[in-house]
Amino acid sequence: MKSFFLCCCMATFSFSSAALQVRHEGLPVGDTASFGADQWQRIRSVEDVCLLYPERMAAMLQQLRCDAPGMAKVAAAFADKQLTLACEHLLEYYRTAEAPDDLYRRHIWWEVVSPEKEADLMIRQGIYTENKSHQAAVPRTSDGHLDWNFRGTVGDMEWAWALNRFYHAEILLDAYRKTGNPVYAKAIDLHVKDWIIAGMPYPARKNSTAMWRGLETAQRAEIFTEIFYKSVKSGQLSPASLLLLLSSIPEHAHYLNRFHSAGNWATIEMAALATIAAAFPEWKASGEWIRYAAGVMSAEIEKQVYPDGAQTELSSSYHRVALKNFDHLYRICRRKQIALPENYRSRIEGMWHYLAATMRPNGYGLLNNDSDLEYYRHLVEQAAAEYGREEWKAMAACENSTGVMPPSVVFPWAGHFVMRSGYDSTAHWSFFDMGPWGTGHQHNDKLHLSVAAFGNDFLVDAGRFAYQGSLAQRFRQYACSSAAHNLLLIDGCGQAPGIPRAREALTEKYYSIDDRFDYASASFESFDGIEGTCEHTRVVCYLRGQCWIVVDKISSDRNRTVETLWHWHPSCTVTMNAGQTASGNNGNGWLHIIPAGNARLTASMVKGQEQPTVQGWYSKTYNEVESTTTSIYAAQTKNDTVLVWMLYPSKHPSPKLPIKAHADSLGVTVKFKLPGNASQSLYIPFADSRKAALKITD
């Protein structure tokens, strides 16, 4: 008789069926056809799976540490070539093993209000929800499997990838936990068995298919781990499905170990590899997996995270993705006593500080580059408790704790400046982007300014819309362009791609924070498609608790048509008066955009336009879109021109604000009087924060 032996790293075995003590009445060894091509669902017992997939089961057992505590019965049965008995002992081992509950993580990133309702849709109508809002009925193949390559109703590959991440299994788990209805457990059993059988054989090569791409492999591996441990004790999965799932774990680990990517993908893949290693220490390679993951992540945190804590893609959503994975690996290594570099923890704390300090007063993060508008308050609260940071706790609680930290903050490597009046829930808040383009998921949006007050947004970034599918065909180019941001278009042209990574931090020449006002200045000079040369310098001054004053200087070698764009949040009702002041009401108050310079402007408003150019749209989250108002101010300029804007938040719909601006070669003097305040004069230099000055003139 031939014994089992390992032929390669993923184990192809040569064996004699006579050597296997497998018996199943009426079914010859290895004959999957005996079940019928469309009846793979009938595979339920240990005997079934050992009969139909003896090589796979043997490969799995071969990769286990027979000397691991509690594995003696498994090792003895396998050595005696009793495959079924060895697999039965293996399931018994896991039924009594300690479950790694602290390793489980939520992968669905949207709130599921009624998991049982969505689970019923899956079971009764075959309708799956992926990427939050996009529902579609997944068709079946001729042999009864789900079509794991199905791209949804809009033909978006992202939908197929999301399906293969097994988000839907988390919904089914939630429904089962909430109701105890065995129908949901049966559905999980069927989906696990379906995916593993449909995916045979494991390709053992890097690819971008729906089933075996790095992101999907990583997230599915973690979800499979949770399903296995929660099912092996409760019996909600059949023994056959449990063994098929377990046999897929080293395949997932092999892919993540051998074919992982770089950037934020690497953080997802390595966190999953470490999770598998920690959850399944019985695998011979588990020690190698976790050490490899720790080494890759230690290198990646140095590459991906600036000294100020910002992740280099400069997208709030992808910052959060990278952070949660760096943090997850840190916790695993601490648990397993795996050493990490001394600065690993400090980099994680820097990333949490960035997330906390850039958070809006309503608890949502930045909407910048390819981001969704995500709620971060609960994450910041958890991090504050974990790392003992009182200032994060105060930020999350919307407390104005004197002395904890100043209200405004600059991240000089990222070039991100958050200006605010305080940390209370109705505080003024703004985000000014004066940094590099980003190393991934970029938009052409340097100098963009977002503004919120009274608990809601006023001026916004348009969002990311979608990467693929019909929505992307309509809006993706717009999403990445300057036209979707609060910027200038020069002769109809937006910015070209900028510098991906900062070579050095911004100096205090370009920004300042003091008790009365904040100052920030930055420039951009590469516009896509224009003739000649042109530079846009934008200076933003925030007078704490009062207003923002924005100065746009256009330096050009010829006459230009300049359009200034201000994108309103969809919740805002926007009007424009005869004096060209655009006013938006967000339900709690108003923001007034008041032109204050001497340039002759032509004002207009656009909403929900797709022809001749796309304008006036907003995407809060992936695959969602709604129309919104964009206020556009056009000017014919001659060589150097200065535009001045006051952004005044108010509880009143139409304040009368005397304001005058006078520019010289070095800066602008703005004189104004706000209701309830004395007359003021603010000198705004174009490029030197040290010369900015605010005076009371009454």
Side-chain angles (χ1 to χ4, degrees):
M1 297 183 185
K2 296 181 181 178
S3 61
F4 298 108
F5 63 92
L6 195 60
C7 295
C8 66
C9 61
M10 287 313 296
T12 300
F13 288 88
S14 174
F15 62 92
S16 166
S17 60
L20 300 174
Q21 293 191 14
V22 179
R23 298 290 182 267
H24 198 292
E25 185 175 351
L27 291 176
V29 172
D31 186 3
T32 56
S34 298
F35 274 97
D38 60 347
Q39 296 184 45
W40 48 267
Q41 298 98 323
R42 290 170 51 199
I43 304 170
R44 295 196 56 79
S45 69
V46 175
E47 286 183 308
D48 290 341
V49 77
C50 289
L51 171 78
L52 297 172
Y53 304 107
E55 292 183 351
R56 187 177 185 88
M57 294 301 104
M60 172 185 68
L61 293 167
Q62 184 74 36
Q63 295 175 82
L64 293 170
R65 288 175 46 234
C66 296
D67 60 342
M71 292 286 287
K73 289 183 179 180
V74 178
F78 187 53
D80 198 31
K81 300 180 177 59
Q82 298 186 69
L83 186 59
T84 300
L85 184 60
C87 288
E88 288 174 347
H89 285 320
L90 183 61
L91 290 181
E92 184 59 34
Y93 165 83
Y94 279 113
R95 289 188 189 104
T96 59
E98 182 181 356
D101 294 337
D102 57 331
L103 295 180
Y104 307 147
R105 299 195 291 170
R106 188 74 170 172
H107 290 85
I108 290 178
W109 44 269
W110 63 91
E111 181 183 6
V112 180
V113 177
S114 177
E116 63 272 29
K117 183 177 179 180
E118 293 198 19
D120 288 342
L121 275 175
M122 283 186 238
I123 294 167
R124 294 174 184 175
Q125 301 180 41
I127 295 175
Y128 293 70
T129 302
E130 304 293 352
N131 287 337
K132 184 179 181 180
S133 59
H134 183 182
Q135 291 185 333
V138 181
R140 298 243 173 212
T141 63
S142 60
D143 55 3
H145 288 284
L146 287 173
D147 181 359
W148 295 100
N149 296 303
F150 180 60
R151 299 188 179 195
T153 58
V154 297
D156 187 354
M157 188 63 180
E158 292 284 344
W159 203 92
W161 283 324
L163 179 66
N164 283 272
R165 292 172 193 170
F166 262 63
Y167 289 155
H168 59 277
E170 289 195 323
I171 295 172
L172 289 166
L173 274 172
D174 288 347
Y176 180 72
R177 279 193 291 260
K178 186 175 179 180
T179 67
N181 190 337
V183 148
Y184 303 133
K186 184 177 179 181
I188 297 170
D189 180 280
L190 194 63
H191 290 162
V192 167
K193 186 160 44 186
D194 185 336
W195 188 91
I196 294 170
I197 293 173
M200 293 180 186
Y202 163 59
R205 60 179 176 81
K206 188 177 181 68
N207 63 73
S208 296
T209 62
M211 298 185 82
W212 283 105
R213 193 180 68 147
L215 291 186
E216 289 62 57
T217 302
Q219 295 189 49
R220 184 176 58 246
E222 292 196 27
I223 292 172
F224 273 12
T225 298
E226 182 176 2
I227 289 173
F228 178 82
Y229 273 101
K230 289 187 175 178
S231 301
V232 74
K233 295 179 185 296
S234 68
Q236 71 186 57
L237 259 66
S238 68
S241 293
L242 286 169
L243 288 166
L244 285 169
L245 188 157
L246 197 58
S247 70
S248 77
I249 293 299
E251 295 173 344
H252 284 75
H254 180 265
Y255 192 97
L256 297 171
N257 185 285
R258 299 294 181 89
F259 308 122
H260 66 83
S261 303
N264 75 72
W265 281 35
T267 71
I268 299 168
E269 292 160 333
M270 292 301 100
L273 183 60
T275 298
I276 293 173
F280 298 100
E282 302 82 11
W283 298 97
K284 292 177 181 177
S286 62
E288 174 192 337
W289 296 339
I290 196 168
R291 287 189 296 272
Y292 182 80
V296 171
M297 291 287 260
S298 297
E300 287 294 333
I301 205 168
E302 289 294 319
K303 294 177 186 175
Q304 291 190 42
V305 183
Y306 285 125
D308 60 15
Q311 200 260 2
T312 60
E313 292 181 63
L314 301 178
S315 151
S316 181
S317 290
Y318 288 101
H319 177 101
R320 189 261 310 156
V321 167
L323 169 56
K324 77 171 187 177
N325 290 300
F326 284 129
D327 195 68
H328 188 61
L329 180 120
Y330 172 71
R331 295 166 189 269
I332 290 173
C333 288
R334 187 172 57 185
R335 168 184 169 176
K336 303 295 287 187
Q337 297 183 330
I338 302 293
L340 291 168
E342 290 183 5
N343 68 340
Y344 192 96
R345 175 180 166 125
S346 65
R347 284 295 171 99
I348 290 176
E349 289 196 54
M351 295 183 78
W352 276 117
H353 183 72
Y354 173 88
L355 209 67
T358 58
M359 186 171 58
R360 287 169 165 82
N362 62 8
Y364 285 85
L366 298 178
L367 185 65
N368 63 323
N369 276 352
D370 278 342
S371 290
D372 291 334
L373 193 62
E374 297 182 339
Y375 190 75
Y376 290 151
R377 177 168 290 144
H378 63 296
L379 299 179
V380 172
E381 288 172 342
Q382 293 166 11
E386 172 73 17
Y387 291 97
R389 297 290 291 264
E390 289 298 318
E391 70 271 37
W392 302 348
K393 181 180 177 181
M395 293 173 193
C398 296
E399 296 175 354
N400 277 323
S401 299
T402 304
V404 172
M405 67 173 295
S408 296
V409 60
V410 179
F411 294 89
W413 282 90
H416 289 174
F417 197 155
V418 173
M419 306 175 182
R420 59 169 94 218
S421 59
Y423 289 95
D424 55 287
S425 60
T426 60
H428 297 171
W429 174 97
S430 66
F431 164 67
F432 182 41
D433 185 353
M434 51 196 296
W437 191 42
T439 57
H441 292 279
Q442 308 97 329
H443 291 183
N444 299 341
D445 62 351
K446 185 175 180 179
L447 310 181
H448 167 84
L449 178 69
S450 292
V451 173
F454 313 124
N456 289 315
D457 287 337
F458 280 111
L459 300 177
V460 295
D461 181 310
R464 64 172 173 163
F465 295 85
Y467 298 158
Q468 299 191 47
S470 58
L471 194 70
Q473 291 171 6
R474 292 169 61 195
F475 296 114
R476 183 59 182 166
Q477 185 175 356
Y478 170 69
C480 297
S481 73
S482 303
H485 300 84
N486 298 321
L487 291 172
L488 307 187
L489 300 182
I490 308 298
D491 293 338
C493 300
Q495 296 176 6
I499 298 170
R501 184 184 290 267
R503 300 184 183 96
E504 58 185 4
L506 293 173
T507 67
E508 293 186 4
K509 175 182 178 181
Y510 299 102
Y511 68 87
S512 64
I513 299 171
D514 69 24
D515 293 339
R516 295 188 302 165
F517 70 94
D518 303 327
Y519 171 97
S521 171
S523 300
F524 194 86
E525 59 184 17
S526 179
F527 290 87
D528 193 12
I530 69 167
E531 296 180 358
T533 60
C534 185
E535 181 181 51
H536 174 206
T537 297
R538 172 166 281 183
V539 187
V540 178
C541 283
Y542 171 61
L543 280 68
R544 202 159 325 280
Q546 299 184 61
C547 66
W548 291 264
I549 295 178
V550 180
V551 175
D552 290 315
K553 179 186 178 185
I554 302 97
S555 302
S556 178
D557 63 349
R558 63 194 69 195
N559 296 346
R560 301 285 186 186
T561 298
V562 176
E563 295 169 280
T564 306
L565 310 178
W566 299 107
H567 295 79
W568 296 89
H569 189 270
S571 66
C572 294
T573 301
V574 185
T575 59
M576 187 171 290
N577 67 17
Q580 297 185 325
T581 293
S583 299
N585 179 268
N586 67 6
N588 295 324
W590 298 79
L591 181 75
H592 306 284
I593 301 176
I594 307 168
N598 298 319
R600 183 173 297 178
L601 303 172
T602 301
S604 62
M605 294 196 296
V606 174
K607 184 175 183 178
Q609 174 181 291
E610 292 193 55
Q611 295 294 336
T613 58
V614 178
Q615 190 53 267
W617 298 92
Y618 176 75
S619 175
K620 177 182 177 180
T621 192
Y622 189 89
N623 253 339
E624 290 187 6
V625 62
E626 57 185 314
S627 61
T628 191
T629 301
T630 303
S631 297
I632 304 174
Y633 293 87
Q636 304 299 317
T637 69
K638 295 182 179 180
N639 295 12
D640 291 357
T641 300
V642 176
L643 306 173
V644 181
W645 318 88
M646 175 180 280
L647 311 181
Y648 176 57
S650 170
K651 288 290 187 178
H652 304 288
S654 55
K656 294 182 180 180
L657 301 177
I659 177 171
K660 293 182 179 180
H662 172 73
D664 58 32
S665 61
L666 298 178
V668 176
T669 299
V670 183
K671 297 181 179 181
F672 57 95
K673 188 178 189 305
L674 302 180
N677 290 276
S679 296
Q680 300 175 78
S681 176
L682 176 65
Y683 179 66
I684 305 173
F686 294 130
D688 192 344
S689 67
R690 295 165 296 184
K691 296 180 180 179
L694 177 65
K695 297 179 181 179
I696 304 299
T697 57
D698 276 359

